[in-house]
Amino acid sequence: MDAQGRGRADDVDPADQWVLNPRTGEYELRLSPSAPESSVPGPRTAGSRASGRRTTAPGREVPPQRRRRAEPEAPVPSRRGRRPEKKKSRGKRVLLWTGGSMAFVVLVAGVGGYVYLKHLEGNVSTTDVGTAGSSSFKKDEAFNILIIGTDKRTGEGNEGYGDKGSAGHADTNILLHVAKDRSNATALSIPRDLIVDIPDCETTQEDGSKKVIPGSSGVRFNQSLGDLGRDAGCTMRTVKAVTGIQPHHFMMADFNAVKTLTTAVEGVDVCVEHAVDDPKSHLQLPAGESTVEGEQALAFVRTRHAFGNEGDLDRIKVQQQFLGSLMRKMSSSDTLTSPTKLVKLAEAATKALTVDSAIGKVGTLKDIALELKKVPTKNITFTTVPVIDNPAEKVKATVVVNEAKGPQVFDMIKNDVSFTEVEQKQKKEKAAVAARLKGEKSEPGEVRVRVMNGGAPAGSAQQELAYLQTQAGVSKSENAGNAPAEVAKTTLEYAPDQADQARALAEILGLSGAAMKPGESVTNAQGLPTMTLTLGKDFKGAGVKLDGSVKKPDLDTESTADQKLCAS
C-alpha cells in the first residue's frame, strides 16, 4: 500500500514514504502529502533549515537503527530502485546464506544513498580473515565469494534447528564465481560431508592477537568452520586446498535469513512432483506449485527425507531450485518497484550477514552489488563439486572428489570459462571449423611451413618437425626456433592463398578452426611464402592430435537461475 493510503502520519512506514517521480523515473522521499519531494538523501534535523535543508515533519522516523555498530542519527533510504543478483545455496539446514548475501546486494544497488547504506553496514558483522582472502574488492576482475550457511542456533524459534551448542559448522557452502566480463556466474556447491584435508590456518582472536589452528586430515568439510575455533578464513583456505580456486571474500549467515528473506518478499514459489509430508522437518506440501515463506520455507530447504535418495546431495539440488526461485522473486518488478519490500529485504539480509573485513564497508558493498547486478540470471549456473562415495567406508556416509570430473570443473572456474556459454562457444567453434576447413586440401608434399616453439617443452619444435618430415610427408617444413612470445594454444597462421595448404596441415595435426589464423605468410630462405605453426602450451607431443576446442564437462548436477523446476 502506498504512503498516501496510510493512516496517521506518525504511523507511516519510512519505506512507504518513497514515491516514484514520473518525470525523473527515480524514487523520492515525500515527508507529507503537502511537502515537496526531497532531493537530498540523509538525515534532517531542526537545525538543518538554517543551512538551506528542509526539516523533517514531527513524528517522522527513518528506518530503525540496528545492532553491532554506532547508529547514524536518522538513516534514510536513497532514491533509486535497482537490484543486484543473488546466489544459491545448498547444504544441510540453511539457505539464507546465499539468499541473504544476494538480498543485501540487491537492496544496496536498488535503494542506494550513503546514509541508509551506512545504516545497513551497521547491521553487518565482519571477520578478519587475513591472507585467506583478498585485501580489497576489484571491480575490473573476476571474483570468487564463498557463501557459508552455518548450523548455529541463533534467535527465537530456532531451538529445533541445527546441533544444540554448535559453534556453527560450514553446513551449506557455495563458491560463487563471477566472470570478469560479468556475462555469467557459476555457483559451485560444496557438500558438507566431502572428505578433505583442512590446512593450518591463522585466526584473529577477540583481543586482536593471532592464533594458528592446526589442520586436520581426512575430515568432513563442515569441520573447516567452528571446530577448534576455526573461522571463515579456515573454510576459505580449505576451499583453495580442495579445488585450487582462491576465494576472495566470504558471506556467512545462519537459519534466520531464509525465514526473514522469504517473508520480506512475501513468499517464494516452489514446485514438487509428489505431495510432501515429512514429520522430521514438518514440511507439508501438495503436489505441484506452492508458495512458501518463513518457517515453511526453512523446512523446505532443510528436508532431505522427502526427495530423491534422502541424502544431502539430493537436498542440494532442491536448494538450488529454491534459490533460483528466490532470485527470480527478488529481481521481479513487484519487488524492485516496491520501496517497502526493498527496505524489508535489505534489513532482513544484513541482520543475518557476516562478511570479511575487506568488503564490510559501505562503498565496497555497493560496488559488489552493482557488479552482481550485471549478471543475467539465465547465465548463472548452479552445479555441485563432482563426487563419488567414499571408497574407505563400508556404510556410505561421506563422499570424496571425483578425480575424473572434478579437475575440469575446477579448471573452468579458475580460467573464467562460462558453463552456460560453453555450448554456444562449441557451436561457434564448429561453425568456424566448417568454414575454415571446408575446401580443397593440398598434398602433404606441397605444404610449406615453419615450426616455432611458443611455450611447449624444450625441443618440441624439432620433434614435431621430425614427425612432419618423416611420418606425415610434409617435406617442405623447417625449424624456426622459439616464437617471440609464449602462447597458450597452438596456432597456424597462413595467407589467403595458402588456405589449401592450411587445411591439409590442420587435418594432419588435428587443429581446430579456432587454431587456424588467416593472416600473412613469411618468406623462407629460398624466398618462398611459408606458413607459421606455433606450438603452444597445449602441445601434447610430436604426432599427437591437437584439439583447441573447449568441451563442456559432464556435470553431476546443473541448472540455471532462470529455470523453473520441480523437486522430486
Side-chain angles (χ1 to χ4, degrees), residues 88-95 97-98 145-150 168-176 187-194 220-225 232 235-236 239 251-252 312 316 319-320 323 383-385:
K88 34 193 168 164
S89 46
R90 61 260 347 228
K92 187 165 175 180
R93 305 161 174 139
V94 267
L95 181 131
W97 14 199
T98 315
I145 297 180
L146 179 62
I147 311 299
I148 305 172
T150 77
H169 297 107
D171 203 56
T172 293
N173 311 279
I174 299 173
L175 182 62
L176 179 71
L188 180 69
S189 290
I190 304 173
R192 67 187 179 96
D193 294 328
L194 179 69
R220 282 179 166 85
F221 181 89
N222 67 347
Q223 293 179 235
S224 63
L225 178 70
T235 308
M236 296 171 72
V239 169
M251 292 182 176
M252 180 170 64
D312 194 57
I316 285 176
Q319 291 177 348
Q320 289 173 345
L323 282 172
T383 189
T384 306
V385 170

Side-chain angles (χ1 to χ4, degrees), residues 88 175-178 184-188 380-381 383 413 417-419:
K88 34 193 168 164
L175 182 62
L176 179 71
H177 169 79
V178 180
N184 66 89
T186 301
L188 180 69
I380 301 175
T381 299
T383 189
I413 294 176
V417 177
S418 168
F419 285 79

